[in-house]
Amino acid sequence: MWGIYHARLHTTLKTQQWLPRGARILIALSGGQDSVCLTRLLLDLQPYWQWFLAAVHCDHRWRADSAANANFVQALAQQWHLPCEVVSAPPLPKTEAAARSWRYQVFETVAKALDCTHVVTAHTQSDRAESLLLHLLRGTSPDGLATLLPSRALGAIQLVRPLLGMTRAETAAFCQTYGLPVWQDATNHHLNYRRNRLRLELIPYLQAHFNPNVEEVLAQTAELLASDRAYFEAEVERLAPTVIREHPPALERLRLRELPLALQRRLIQRFLRQHLKRGIDFSLIEAVRPLITAGNGSQTSTLPGGYHLRVCGQWLELIRPTAPPPESVPADQGERSPPLPPLY
């Protein structure tokens, strides 16, 4: 088979080199229209690219028909002479975040077992637009809006999303044109999931009343933000050795003072993530920034984990939490210096 969507993907892959000739590729195959479209496209392009192709299906065991879904995928893969592994989930918290984390662990594990260099998922332009809106409504940074990158590292494997140039309507049209069987997941219509409500209610409303091309516009915005994110990440890597001291942990505040605000925030964020590992949000970064010009001895309020950042000359030093003194120690054994007042 060869049509307009084959030509588009073939041209994109020649330009971007996301899936080089001869690559060993693991396809995430759910059985839905997007993953079926992606699998068929790659199989049809395989003679031109000499790929090794295999598939993996993740059974979350959330639905009563999940076993039937897995059997459908296995039968389709067998019909297409595609090696396929089905992996069933252990008991999981029923959250999208837990399921996503488990899926990507499975992708990496199976890819390594099959000596695959790339994992491909069937995220579309529509998914990218929805993710941007979800993150925007929840509250996030510009980096958080640069969602669903076309290619990123998954451990030692490269994760690729080749269908970000296609909408969900186009993958449906592809499956219909070529008579491809598709598994219908009834949970895609349950409005108790935020993404479904956005997909079924908000996006159509925006298309009808604001912009019929809203998915394309939002996806383009995500792509522009992704380019900015890549630039800033490179700048942070370049500047980090001049700003961040590893032992003892500290930020060089005089150097920070010379940098634009956007880089100040990203370097502070990098430092805090490295040492606190949790609870790093906009308000926390903004609580640290005034220390760049504050007087000696100034410090933040308590940070996650009981840490503080304190001005010590040219440095913003990370003060680790200390255990409280034993109650048996008399209060009159020497004078203690009064604690430094918090910055806020």
Side-chain angles (χ1 to χ4, degrees):
M1 292 187 292
W2 188 269
I4 184 173
Y5 297 117
H6 297 85
R8 278 170 53 181
L9 182 58
H10 184 62
T11 301
T12 298
L13 294 178
K14 286 174 64 178
T15 303
Q16 301 296 338
Q17 290 295 306
W18 290 328
L19 300 172
R21 187 177 303 277
R24 296 180 63 86
I25 300 170
L26 180 67
I27 306 168
L29 180 55
S30 70
Q33 68 179 46
D34 297 338
S35 67
V36 168
C37 171
L38 172 62
T39 302
R40 190 64 258 174
L41 282 169
L42 294 180
L43 284 168
D44 294 342
L45 292 178
Q46 186 179 28
Y48 301 92
W49 290 86
Q50 302 300 309
W51 295 315
F52 165 83
L53 297 177
V56 61
H57 175 77
C58 294
D59 179 5
H60 298 90
R61 302 194 299 172
W62 283 359
R63 310 188 317 267
D65 64 350
S66 66
N69 187 178
N71 291 337
F72 169 85
V73 168
Q74 285 182 313
L76 183 62
Q78 186 175 12
Q79 176 186 338
W80 287 347
H81 306 290
L82 180 70
C84 181
E85 182 165 346
V86 173
V87 181
S88 296
L92 285 172
K94 290 193 175 182
T95 67
E96 286 295 320
R100 182 168 52 252
S101 176
W102 173 74
R103 282 198 304 274
Y104 282 94
Q105 289 174 7
V106 169
F107 296 161
E108 186 176 2
T109 300
V110 174
K112 287 180 178 177
L114 295 176
D115 198 26
C116 289
T117 53
H118 296 74
V119 171
V120 295
T121 64
H123 291 98
T124 64
Q125 185 181 97
S126 304
D127 292 310
R128 200 175 198 186
E130 292 164 6
S131 294
L132 185 146
L133 271 180
L134 282 172
H135 292 166
L136 181 63
L137 294 172
R138 186 172 57 224
T140 187
S141 67
D143 289 353
L145 296 177
T147 182
L148 293 180
L149 302 178
S151 180
R152 71 171 180 85
L154 182 63
I157 312 297
Q158 197 67 19
L159 175 69
V160 179
R161 300 178 173 110
L163 296 190
L164 290 182
M166 291 180 69
T167 65
R168 193 172 294 114
E170 289 175 323
T171 64
F174 179 89
C175 292
Q176 186 175 11
T177 297
Y178 294 104
L180 304 181
V182 172
W183 182 264
Q184 300 296 337
D185 182 355
T187 62
N188 287 337
H189 299 281
H190 292 177
L191 294 180
N192 53 318
Y193 295 108
R194 285 181 299 175
R195 183 177 286 272
N196 286 351
R197 186 175 293 277
L198 186 146
R199 177 182 301 166
L200 299 173
E201 294 185 341
L202 181 56
I203 292 287
Y205 181 85
L206 294 174
Q207 289 171 327
H209 297 283
F210 290 89
N211 186 343
N213 299 317
V214 67
E215 286 188 347
E216 180 182 0
V217 169
L218 290 172
Q220 288 174 350
T221 300
E223 177 60 30
L224 290 170
L225 289 167
S227 300
D228 289 351
R229 173 180 170 177
Y231 168 77
F232 278 114
E233 285 178 348
E235 279 296 280
V236 167
E237 285 297 316
R238 182 179 68 84
L239 293 167
T242 70
V243 175
I244 297 175
R245 187 181 72 190
E246 298 296 334
H247 302 291
L251 288 162
E252 218 285 19
R253 67 188 191 122
L254 301 182
R255 181 73 179 99
L256 272 177
R257 193 181 302 171
E258 300 170 352
L259 297 174
L261 176 58
L263 287 170
Q264 288 179 7
R265 285 174 171 155
R266 283 171 168 81
L267 285 159
I268 292 170
Q269 181 185 53
R270 176 192 172 116
F271 178 81
L272 294 177
R273 278 182 175 169
Q274 180 179 349
H275 295 285
L276 306 187
K277 304 186 188 305
R278 58 188 177 88
I280 312 304
D281 58 17
F282 177 76
S283 61
L284 184 58
I285 295 169
E286 290 304 285
V288 171
R289 279 203 318 106
L291 291 182
I292 296 173
T293 57
N296 201 43
S298 301
Q299 68 179 37
T300 61
S301 300
T302 304
L303 305 176
Y307 291 86
H308 293 82
L309 268 175
R310 180 181 299 168
V311 177
C312 297
Q314 73 185 79
W315 298 99
L316 302 182
E317 293 190 351
L318 187 69
I319 309 300
R320 300 181 181 277
T322 55
E327 292 184 2
S328 57
V329 177
D332 58 353
Q333 286 191 359
E335 292 187 11
R336 292 187 188 143
S337 300
L340 292 166
L343 187 65
Y344 292 97

